[in-house]
Amino acid sequence: MGQTVLILGAGFGGLPIALKLADEFRGHPDPPRIVLVDKEPYHLFKPMLAEVATGCASPHQVSEPLGFVLRGRRIELIQGRIVGIDLAARRVEVRLAGGPWERTPDQPQRTLALAYDRLVLALGSSVNFFRIEGARENCLPLNDIRDAERIRAQIMGAFAMGARIEDPVQRRKLLSFVVIGGGPTGVELVAEVHGLVHHALCPSYPLVDYAREVSVHVVEAGPTLMPGTTPVVRDKVIRRLLAKDITITAGKKVTRVGPDFVELDGGRERIEAANLFWSAGVCGNQAYDALPLAKGRTGRVVVEPTLLVPGHPEVIAVGDGAEFLFEGRPLPTTAQVAVQEAAAAAWNLARLIRGDGEPRPFRYRHMGTAVSLGDEKGVFMAGARVTLEGFLGWFGWKLIYLKHLASIRGSFRAALKWMSDLTYDREASRHLYSSGYEG
């Protein structure tokens, strides 16, 4: 057996690297041992979590079982949490999933020590609350399927209670929804929340006066929503959100959060709401905190142009937890960045394993911007000129996942069936989940 390549994380960065390496060395007389570790048994398409949070998609429609994806390939899959990374000893400690985390006399082997020759850090990011008072305690983030299900339960419970309470102040609080963070995730979440409330919940509760009692807000600290995108995309997104009567507050920082309020600019402005959702940013994965590596302002591991970690040529970092400078600024934490980094990292790893020479620098190419705005509407911009809006924009957004799904399933037909099922079942799912069915 050749070198051991240990890949931490099966997201948009780690999983494609494992698949590309396995395919690259298929039939090789001395292939590397590829070990893939993730805390979940599935690969998650995070950009669709907003649809799960509002019932337009079910969890199984945005996740792919890793056992299914990896079948037929020489890849070892380990489900567990990273509890320690020893770069000097080239060893990673993993606490296995599937039972109590603590060791017991009956389960003495719950923790594995995995040695490696080459390590890929692809664990993604953690939610960044920026040390804002009350944010962690009172806001629900949207980072995984469990978060999405908590948000859906919060919306359903608050609306059911708000529709029956008589006190007008408390009623309006329970029927008010605030998304903090106006990037792509926040914009998609606030649009989907509006769709769930307007199209599914209000018809189910006819005594609720939507115009007078229900409010949906998005708050962004920067001067405008969708920072980092083109003015064309921003203007189209803002126009469509305003058409939905979504209140946009930009250029004001959240300074304190309570159980039923958000304070802006040191208390000069206050939004009363009992449903607070956080999408204001991410930071480096907590598993990287103790590593003696150079990190950026938000705790992401700094990488060289080749994606290798400075001082550790046996380590590569990709995805949300890696900080790669492009034109003097860190690349954003998006799926397209992670996928492109994965392709370059896999090529470099194969080259290093074979001993074919030095790795080549990663070159990022922006493929466009896509954002879903609920109700089968969206904005999709490819390149500098091609912009799709409305249903075509939403469909273009879905095509991105279709392409990704086809690449990991190895079957465009299977991916196309997923697309058809999701589109057809969208409204039925929204009403099914909004009824409280947990099936």
Side-chain angles (χ1 to χ4, degrees):
M1 181 66 70
Q3 299 181 32
T4 295
V5 180
L6 181 57
I7 302 172
L8 307 184
F12 283 95
L15 180 59
I17 291 175
L19 296 176
K20 291 178 186 295
L21 275 183
D23 291 343
E24 183 70 23
F25 287 92
R26 189 186 298 271
H28 193 278
D30 190 26
R33 178 192 176 205
I34 304 170
V35 182
L36 180 64
V37 181
D38 198 277
K39 65 180 180 179
E40 306 291 357
Y42 51 78
H43 169 72
L44 175 64
F45 187 70
K46 279 191 176 183
M48 283 186 60
L49 281 176
E51 297 195 18
V52 177
T54 54
C56 286
S58 62
H60 79 270
Q61 289 176 312
V62 303
S63 58
E64 284 290 304
L66 289 171
F68 175 79
V69 174
L70 302 180
R71 64 181 182 177
R73 291 182 170 95
R74 295 174 63 93
I75 300 173
E76 299 175 36
L77 175 63
I78 297 176
Q79 185 188 350
R81 293 180 180 271
I82 309 302
V83 294
I85 302 174
D86 189 336
L87 296 177
R90 297 193 180 187
R91 185 176 63 248
V92 174
E93 189 174 5
V94 179
R95 188 169 294 166
L96 298 178
W101 292 120
E102 295 77 21
R103 294 190 184 202
T104 67
D106 298 330
Q107 297 176 321
Q109 303 296 325
R110 300 307 296 172
T111 302
L112 288 179
L114 302 175
Y116 63 84
D117 297 297
R118 300 197 179 275
L119 177 66
V120 177
L121 299 176
L123 289 171
S125 56
S126 299
V127 178
N128 191 352
F129 290 100
F130 299 98
R131 299 180 180 178
I132 294 174
E133 181 183 348
R136 184 183 298 274
E137 295 80 8
N138 297 297
C139 296
L140 295 177
L142 183 61
N143 200 46
D144 56 32
I145 287 178
R146 295 175 187 86
D147 291 339
E149 291 177 329
R150 291 187 191 103
I151 288 176
R152 180 167 58 85
Q154 171 70 25
I155 295 171
M156 309 304 304
F159 211 92
M161 184 180 298
R164 290 173 171 82
I165 200 167
E166 294 184 0
D167 183 282
V169 174
Q170 293 301 317
R171 184 179 174 100
R172 278 193 293 271
K173 283 185 180 181
L174 288 166
L175 298 177
S176 295
F177 306 85
V178 178
V179 174
I180 301 170
T185 300
V187 164
E188 291 177 347
L189 179 57
V190 77
E192 292 291 352
V193 168
H194 169 273
L196 172 61
V197 170
H198 186 266
H199 297 297
L201 294 178
C202 282
S204 300
Y205 296 93
L207 295 181
V208 171
D209 186 333
Y210 178 83
R212 293 177 51 215
E213 297 179 314
V214 179
S215 63
V216 181
H217 305 252
V218 59
V219 178
E220 167 58 35
T224 183
L225 298 186
M226 300 287 290
T229 59
T230 65
V232 172
V233 171
R234 286 199 298 269
D235 291 346
K236 291 182 181 295
V237 166
I238 291 171
R239 176 168 52 81
R240 286 192 171 269
L241 292 184
L242 291 175
K244 296 173 180 286
D245 290 328
I246 293 173
T247 302
I248 298 174
T249 302
K252 297 182 179 180
K253 293 183 179 180
V254 173
T255 51
R256 189 163 73 101
V257 181
D260 55 4
F261 67 86
V262 176
E263 282 189 1
L264 308 175
D265 286 350
R268 285 189 288 271
E269 188 173 336
R270 182 179 174 116
I271 302 173
E272 305 283 346
N275 306 283
L276 310 174
F277 310 126
W278 188 268
S279 64
V282 296
C283 56
N285 194 284
Q286 293 176 353
Y288 302 160
D289 288 350
L291 295 180
L293 301 174
K295 301 185 181 74
R297 183 172 56 87
T298 58
R300 300 162 68 189
V301 174
V302 174
V303 296
E304 296 175 347
T306 57
L307 298 173
L308 297 179
V309 173
H312 290 273
E314 78 284 358
V315 182
I316 282 182
V318 298
D320 290 359
E323 183 161 303
F324 181 93
L325 294 181
F326 176 71
E327 298 179 349
R329 300 179 62 182
L331 285 175
T333 54
T334 62
Q336 70 166 303
V337 170
V339 169
Q340 290 186 46
E341 287 179 343
W347 192 93
N348 281 340
L349 275 171
R351 188 175 177 84
L352 291 169
I353 291 169
R354 289 197 181 98
D356 288 343
E358 295 298 315
R360 66 183 180 189
F362 165 60
R363 289 181 173 83
Y364 173 68
R365 180 185 176 191
H366 185 63
M367 305 303 291
T369 303
V371 57
S372 173
L373 298 175
D375 304 326
E376 298 183 0
K377 301 292 190 298
V379 176
F380 177 78
M381 186 173 186
R385 296 183 178 179
V386 180
T387 303
L388 302 177
E389 193 174 356
F391 175 78
L392 289 178
W394 177 82
F395 192 77
W397 181 84
K398 282 290 188 286
L399 285 176
I400 296 174
Y401 185 43
L402 182 69
K403 179 182 177 182
H404 176 68
L405 191 60
S407 70
I408 64 173
R409 280 192 177 185
S411 169
F412 187 79
R413 179 178 296 179
L416 196 60
K417 182 180 184 303
W418 167 88
M419 180 82 164
S420 174
D421 290 346
L422 183 62
T423 303
Y424 178 78
D425 291 341
R426 180 180 172 84
E427 284 304 312
S429 295
R430 174 185 278 166
H431 286 277
L432 178 66
Y433 285 105
S434 68
S435 69
Y437 174 76
E438 299 291 341

